[in-house]
Amino acid sequence: MVPATVEPAATAGRHRPSAAGWGLRGVVWAALAYLVLVFPLGRPATTVILYTTAVCYGIVALSLNVLLGYVGQISLGHQAFVGVGAFTSAYVVTEQGQSFWVGVLAAAAIGGGQALVLGGVSLRVRGLYFALITLSYGLVAQDNIFQIERLTGGGAGQPAPKPQGFETEWRYYYLCVGFLAVVLYLDWRMMRSKSGRALLALRENPRVAATFGINVRLATLFAFVVSGVFAGLGGALIAHNDTFVSPDPWNFNLALVFVIMTVVGGLRSRPGLVIGGAFFALLPYLIEQIPGFDSLLEAIPAPRDLSPLIAPLVIGPLLLIVNLIRFPGGIGQQLRPITRWLAGHRFDLHDRGLKEVQITDVRA
Amino acid sequence: MSVLEAHDLSIRFGGVQANLDVSIAVGELEIVGVIGPNGAGKTTLFNMITGFYTPDSGRIVYRDTEITGMAVHERAALGLARTFQNVGLVKGATVRDNLVTAQYLQADYGTLSGMLGSRHSRAGERQLRARADTLADMLGLGDLLDTQVAGLPYGTLKRVEIATVLATDPEVLLLDEPSSGMGPEEAHQLGDTLLTLRDEFELSIVMIEHHVPLVVRVCDYVYCLDFGQMLTHGLPHDVRSHPQVVAAYLGEDPEPEVLALEAQLESLVETD
Amino acid sequence: MGGLFSERRSLLIGIGATVALVVFLIVVGEEKSLVIGLTQGSAYGMVALGLALIYKSSGVFNFAQGEFGTVALYVLYLLDIKGNYWLAIIGALAAAGLMGFATERLVVRPLFEAPRVILLVATAGVALLAIGVELWFADAQAKPVAKAFSRNDRITVFDVQITDQRLWLIVTLAALAVLLGLFFTRTNLGLAIIGASQEPTATELVGISVRRLSSFTWVLAAVLGGLAAVIAIPDLGSFGPGAMTSNYLIPAFTAAVLGGMTSLPGAFVGGVLIGIIQSVATSAPLFQDGGELAIPGVPSTLIVFVVLLVVLVARPQGLLGKRA
């Protein structure tokens, strides 16, 4: 749910659903729970790996949202944050012989640490210029950091075995769902506490935030660390899902896919972000599943078939642009009447939440 | 004994001397007015006192502590609060969220505790919300708590802003043109509100104000700025009838160059 | 407000620094890295020029600027196989221009009221779309591009052999920079483009519609991006999907930032400066394998990052730019 949720004045009185209303909601909740928790049990291992990736992308979207959605700083190098987490955990487990749990902790810590350093160095730089720094940093990660053979195994990559007790794809899937639930909880609580509100205030108006006694620099750094910790965690989970990390996938294209899934999912909307992340992770698979999609693509005079791996790069940006122009709130805003209803509020088809306020971003 | 003192503040922007040797003093529970034509440097003075600008020379003392070099949020923590000419609110949020956000320093739980949703932090949150409700009721905003700030009429925004500043638990309130956008009736009401708030919250108030009847009615002391310098100061009636003040108000419009500069600076002020 | 330096003076400082660096390199016998730096740098400068042009006229950080070039390269590659090299170049530039036009019409214009950060995300989306389509229609394999002067004749300047292609590149880009300078200072259309950002109404008075001008600016910037690509890449021999984005976009942005983002000559000079710094630093034994500060992977990426960081953190308005 959007953190600053408010009912429009007209429906301000607390709505109490009838027994039938609760029953109906219960059915939908049960269906959702079935989809997430039971349905994967009957699917083949190769598909479950994809589902796990979808869950991890949800964590990445939540991580990027902390910067992009809450403090309004755009990171075009988030693949570096996630990739560092992946390599850290693989290194700790494979080279140091530590357990998966130590690896995940280390990944979250290093993820937060690098975000703190990058954020600390470039704190003076906001908005468009900050985007530039993160893009450049992403390239450095790809071209330099991930090429350090001692840490990443260079081109050969680094194995990242699944943890003890979670060796099967199904068990590991549930583990990742658990981690996603933890991240969702932390994010939800943060936005309901003073720290989250401070971020929203300084995003819109740092001057006003400062007069409220908020240390704008410190609060921004805090957001960086939170985003870095989530990203590092997501990376570690991705690494152990693939059971192998190599430097190749952590490139500029991936960084943009991350940004796109976050924006298309819907900034500041937890359900939207999870759906956005999952959608882009599953896009290659979905394309193969949708009947008739093949013949649609056949009609395009391309010399080659659109391979499922490339599909997100073509379809993603198109969705993004349509999204930005027609539905700036993303999937989350479109789903809002339903998510609000599920939470026990009256169904209001026109509920789109709070209006987006024009942010005075970088002036020049 | 003064709560807040500014000694000989001066600041230049490029070729323009925005303030030169400006001094003011605010006593305990006093309401002090700052008047002067547009472009006289009144908001610049506020920006130096609250920490958005650092003066080129001069000192600012708050309860025997020199605060000249302190950051905005540190001064807020000491009890200095201000409003803005163009309304300082988080416009994307609701009235309630603004009132709760403004109590940032009153929240007595830690960041981590809040993220984990500890029992202690939840209790703390309930307190903040209760106080937000109380403040909203006091300023007649009870019905608007769940309404988004953006879209409210200007006069209401001004009241919401006063409620949020009070939420920061201030000792000194700096109000930048609190009556702007209000009719004479509303302005009169505002005067009553200010007097009540001063007594109830034990505040000292500094206000930049154009509405002269309001200034005369509520202020204990008045400073008049012109072209960045102190023209005169004294009791409200004396200042109002001071020939130079009359001349300054009736006199020619300020140089458009100065006005443009002020507007530009206003939009440029960042967090530090 | 009075600037710290006037634009002209800061440009002179930039040119002065570049010339001093050139002389220094010749004196210490580093002509080789100088030539590499100059070639690379003028291409950066040309891409940076497009970036600054678009930023000046519409306030957009155009992350699709690199892909204007890559698309041009693919068209050059396709047409070159079948026929005349020079016609292929014209086709390539036309394709880049078309892409610039489409970007402005379909993406930038509908989002004109949106925050600039959203526009940045949108142009980054355009870049990714281009990369996706390149991967789809071609493949990940590197494609060779023919050189205009395939005989590889060399001339010798300061004991350094320079291939015709490189010479052609430097001369063309430098000449182009001068032509653009004249265009923006001497012609009505050029002055209108510069003026539109500051004074829309004044531009309307000259009789040019601001909307049309915006389209034209994007086309011009895209053609510049394409030109930089078709001239510079043949020197490297081959290219792959996203080539101009991964290798040229960030150095070019750094160059534009060095120039203060809105100064056209500043952006070009900044590009040349970045090219030389990059070439000198990568050839320094200190940073090479076995050196004390050996940089793993591709050293130039890290060097550009450091320059960008230093410039932005130390002087956000750019080395050559004037103060806000």
Side-chain angles (χ1 to χ4, degrees):
Chain A
M1 208 86 2
V2 182
T5 48
V6 175
E7 304 199 356
T11 56
R14 194 146 187 89
H15 173 66
R16 291 200 181 279
S18 64
W22 275 123
L24 205 58
R25 286 175 175 85
V27 170
V28 178
W29 274 113
L32 278 174
Y34 174 83
L35 186 69
V36 175
L37 298 175
V38 185
F39 176 71
L41 277 175
R43 309 293 296 171
T46 44
T47 316
V48 174
I49 292 183
L50 274 173
Y51 293 166
T52 312
T53 309
V55 172
C56 298
Y57 271 37
I59 296 178
V60 173
L62 285 162
S63 153
L64 197 49
N65 172 59
V66 174
L67 287 183
L68 198 49
Y70 298 153
V71 276
Q73 289 276 49
I74 176 172
S75 164
L76 290 176
H78 227 62
Q79 96 280 18
F81 287 36
V82 180
V84 164
F87 278 113
T88 304
S89 190
Y91 176 79
V92 167
V93 172
T94 305
E95 301 278 324
Q96 302 287 320
Q98 300 290 331
S99 80
F100 164 82
W101 304 98
V102 178
V104 167
L105 261 175
I110 303 268
Q114 68 162 341
L116 183 67
V117 171
L118 188 68
V121 171
S122 51
L123 210 57
R124 277 186 62 178
V125 184
R126 289 182 71 89
L128 304 178
Y129 291 97
F130 180 76
L132 215 52
I133 288 191
T134 55
L135 174 58
S136 184
Y137 175 69
L139 292 177
V140 166
Q142 182 187 341
D143 280 357
N144 306 116
I145 300 176
F146 297 160
Q147 305 299 330
I148 303 172
E149 246 181 273
R150 222 151 29 87
L151 301 179
T152 65
Q158 191 86 270
K162 286 204 165 62
Q164 226 172 13
F166 298 92
E167 285 93 348
T168 71
E169 282 75 12
W170 293 271
R171 281 177 172 221
Y172 189 72
Y173 168 78
Y174 289 115
L175 180 68
C176 289
V177 170
F179 272 112
L180 174 63
V182 170
V183 170
L184 279 171
Y185 176 80
L186 291 175
D187 187 80
W188 174 58
R189 285 321 311 175
M190 177 173 83
M191 297 320 287
R192 291 271 176 122
S193 76
K194 59 172 183 177
S195 327
R197 284 189 301 264
L199 299 185
L200 292 179
L202 73 88
R203 161 177 167 270
E204 195 191 297
N205 196 332
R207 304 173 63 188
V208 170
T211 55
F212 289 167
I214 295 163
N215 184 339
V216 172
R217 278 162 183 265
L218 210 61
T220 311
L221 271 183
F222 164 75
F224 273 102
V225 173
V226 171
S227 179
V229 167
F230 289 175
L233 174 67
L237 295 178
I238 290 172
H240 294 278
N241 184 42
D242 299 342
T243 65
F244 184 78
V245 208
S246 79
D248 293 338
W250 312 102
N251 54 28
F252 174 66
N253 302 352
L254 186 64
L256 283 184
V257 170
F258 284 166
V259 171
I260 289 175
M261 73 190 191
T262 308
V263 174
V264 171
L267 297 177
R268 296 180 291 283
S269 160
R270 274 180 285 275
L273 289 162
V274 172
I275 293 172
F279 176 72
F280 275 89
L282 294 178
L283 197 54
Y285 171 73
L286 290 175
I287 283 172
E288 287 178 334
Q289 302 299 308
I290 299 170
F293 195 79
D294 270 357
S295 48
L296 187 75
L297 287 179
E298 300 275 308
I300 300 173
R304 308 183 324 133
D305 288 344
L306 179 60
S307 93
L309 285 175
I310 295 168
L313 306 187
V314 179
I315 297 173
L318 291 176
L319 279 177
L320 171 82
I321 290 161
V322 171
N323 187 81
L324 289 178
I325 295 173
R326 299 279 305 151
F327 315 106
I331 298 172
Q333 198 181 46
Q334 296 305 311
L335 288 181
R336 191 177 150 87
I338 298 172
T339 51
R340 293 285 290 168
W341 176 77
L342 277 174
H345 296 269
R346 201 189 301 275
F347 186 79
D348 176 5
L349 189 60
H350 303 291
D351 180 7
R352 292 286 179 266
L354 298 175
K355 274 179 291 180
E356 181 72 18
V357 173
Q358 174 82 30
I359 307 289
T360 42
D361 55 13
V362 187
R363 331 150 230 281
Chain B
M1 169 65 216
S2 304
V3 184
L4 177 70
E5 286 171 18
H7 298 287
D8 304 321
L9 296 181
S10 300
I11 189 165
R12 276 185 93 81
F13 299 111
V16 181
Q17 186 78 46
N19 268 202
L20 182 64
D21 292 336
V22 174
S23 302
I24 68 167
V26 185
E28 197 83 59
L29 300 186
E30 246 181 10
I31 299 185
V32 168
V34 178
I35 61 168
N38 281 332
K42 303 183 298 289
T43 300
T44 305
L45 175 66
F46 266 31
N47 280 336
M48 286 191 289
I49 293 175
T50 47
F52 287 106
Y53 299 157
T54 312
D56 298 334
S57 63
R59 296 184 318 131
I60 304 158
V61 179
Y62 177 81
R63 292 196 190 285
D64 295 331
T65 316
E66 167 141 8
I67 59 166
T68 318
M70 272 189 194
V72 177
H73 62 92
E74 290 171 324
R75 298 186 206 213
L78 288 177
L80 271 181
R82 75 169 284 185
T83 65
F84 293 84
Q85 223 167 324
N86 47 2
V87 186
L89 289 168
V90 185
K91 301 203 173 76
T94 61
V95 172
R96 175 182 280 121
D97 280 335
N98 269 280
L99 289 171
V100 179
T101 308
Q103 297 178 64
Y104 181 78
L105 295 169
Q106 273 81 290
D108 66 342
Y109 56 87
T111 296
L112 207 60
S113 164
M115 270 189 93
L116 295 172
S118 72
R119 196 179 290 262
H120 177 61
S121 77
R122 285 173 190 237
E125 280 295 297
R126 272 194 296 277
Q127 269 178 20
L128 302 188
R129 283 169 162 265
R131 182 138 181 279
D133 288 354
T134 315
L135 281 169
D137 284 339
M138 281 186 71
L139 283 140
L141 300 164
D143 295 340
L144 298 174
L145 274 169
D146 288 320
T147 315
Q148 184 174 3
V149 166
L152 287 174
Y154 192 69
T156 314
L157 286 179
K158 282 279 176 187
R159 264 191 298 149
V160 177
E161 196 186 16
I162 289 180
T164 42
V165 216
L166 288 172
T168 64
D169 199 13
E171 290 175 25
V172 175
L173 217 52
L174 295 109
L175 306 176
D176 199 341
E177 298 194 20
S179 82
S180 72
M182 293 183 182
E185 185 62 27
E186 255 183 306
H188 190 82
Q189 242 175 25
L190 176 74
D192 293 341
T193 312
L194 290 179
L195 291 169
T196 317
L197 292 177
R198 187 252 314 256
D199 297 337
E200 204 144 324
F201 291 87
E202 301 185 340
L203 297 168
S204 310
I205 298 176
V206 190
M207 57 192 252
I208 295 176
E209 191 47 71
H210 280 299
H211 196 68
V212 178
L214 178 65
V215 173
V216 173
R217 190 157 75 89
V218 304
C219 289
D220 301 302
Y221 202 80
V222 174
Y223 293 90
C224 181
L225 285 178
D226 193 20
F227 291 108
Q229 298 188 38
M230 191 62 70
L231 192 62
T232 177
H233 53 92
L235 297 174
H237 282 285
D238 300 341
V239 170
R240 182 168 66 165
S241 49
H242 192 283
Q244 271 181 292
V245 174
V246 175
Y249 264 94
L250 297 178
E252 71 238 3
D253 287 334
E255 298 163 56
E257 181 195 333
V258 178
L259 277 180
L261 178 74
E262 248 196 12
Q264 205 181 350
L265 289 170
E266 190 68 19
S267 71
L268 272 177
V269 179
E270 277 272 18
T271 49
D272 43 13
Chain C
M1 257 193 299
L4 192 62
F5 304 120
S6 69
E7 202 164 298
R8 180 176 291 271
R9 217 174 124 197
S10 29
L11 185 64
L12 285 178
I13 293 173
I15 294 173
T18 313
V19 170
L21 203 57
V22 167
V23 171
F24 172 76
L25 288 173
I26 293 172
V27 169
V28 298
E30 278 288 337
E31 294 92 345
K32 195 161 182 296
S33 38
L34 176 65
V35 172
I36 295 174
L38 273 179
T39 6
Q40 194 75 351
S42 6
Y44 290 160
M46 202 49 65
V47 181
L49 211 57
L51 290 171
L53 194 55
I54 285 178
Y55 185 71
K56 201 173 166 70
S57 70
S58 45
V60 177
F61 267 37
N62 177 26
F63 277 73
Q65 181 72 15
E67 280 324 281
F68 291 157
T70 319
V71 165
L73 284 174
Y74 273 99
V75 173
L76 175 67
Y77 168 73
L78 284 176
L79 297 178
D80 187 24
I81 300 174
K82 291 169 190 154
N84 185 309
Y85 183 77
W86 299 101
L87 281 178
I89 284 198
I90 292 172
L93 296 183
L98 197 65
M99 186 179 164
F101 182 75
T103 307
E104 199 269 345
R105 274 298 158 91
L106 302 178
V107 180
V108 176
R109 198 169 287 184
L111 285 172
F112 206 73
E113 297 295 319
R116 302 291 100 172
V117 170
I118 291 298
L119 267 164
L120 185 156
V121 173
T123 59
V126 171
L128 187 63
L129 180 63
I131 293 174
V133 170
E134 286 154 23
L135 280 163
W136 179 14
F137 278 68
D139 49 46
Q141 291 299 310
K143 300 274 182 277
V145 222
K147 297 187 182 192
F149 300 90
S150 49
R151 283 170 290 126
N152 270 352
D153 287 343
R154 286 153 198 277
I155 56 160
T156 307
V157 183
F158 295 124
D159 296 337
V160 187
Q161 294 193 326
I162 302 178
T163 59
D164 279 355
Q165 176 73 22
R166 264 193 191 157
L167 191 67
W168 189 65
L169 191 158
I170 297 177
V171 171
T172 315
L173 290 182
L176 212 70
V178 171
L179 277 178
L180 280 171
L182 291 175
F183 171 69
F184 284 118
T185 50
R186 298 275 186 275
T187 67
N188 276 345
L189 185 59
L191 286 170
I193 289 177
I194 301 293
S197 50
Q198 287 122 14
E199 206 61 63
T201 37
T203 314
E204 295 278 7
L205 284 180
V206 187
I208 302 164
S209 112
V210 173
R211 291 177 152 247
R212 225 183 260 176
L213 210 58
S214 170
S215 300
F216 181 80
T217 310
W218 276 79
V219 170
L220 181 62
V223 170
L224 286 177
L227 203 58
V230 300
I231 297 177
I233 292 288
D235 192 47
L236 303 177
S238 65
F239 68 95
M244 295 300 287
T245 298
S246 51
N247 298 326
Y248 283 73
L249 187 64
I250 283 296
F253 258 123
T254 310
V257 167
L258 261 173
M261 261 337 274
T262 50
S263 155
L264 302 182
F268 189 79
V269 174
V272 174
L273 207 55
I274 297 277
I276 296 175
I277 292 174
Q278 204 185 47
S279 140
V280 172
T282 41
S283 68
L286 183 68
F287 297 128
Q288 279 173 345
D289 267 352
E292 272 171 55
L293 292 172
I295 300 173
V298 187
S300 55
T301 311
L302 185 65
I303 289 157
V304 172
F305 176 66
V306 170
V307 174
L308 178 69
L309 207 57
V310 167
V311 172
L312 279 181
V313 172
R315 241 183 94 85
Q317 70 273 30
L319 221 56
L320 314 177
K322 46 181 182 175
R323 280 175 85 101

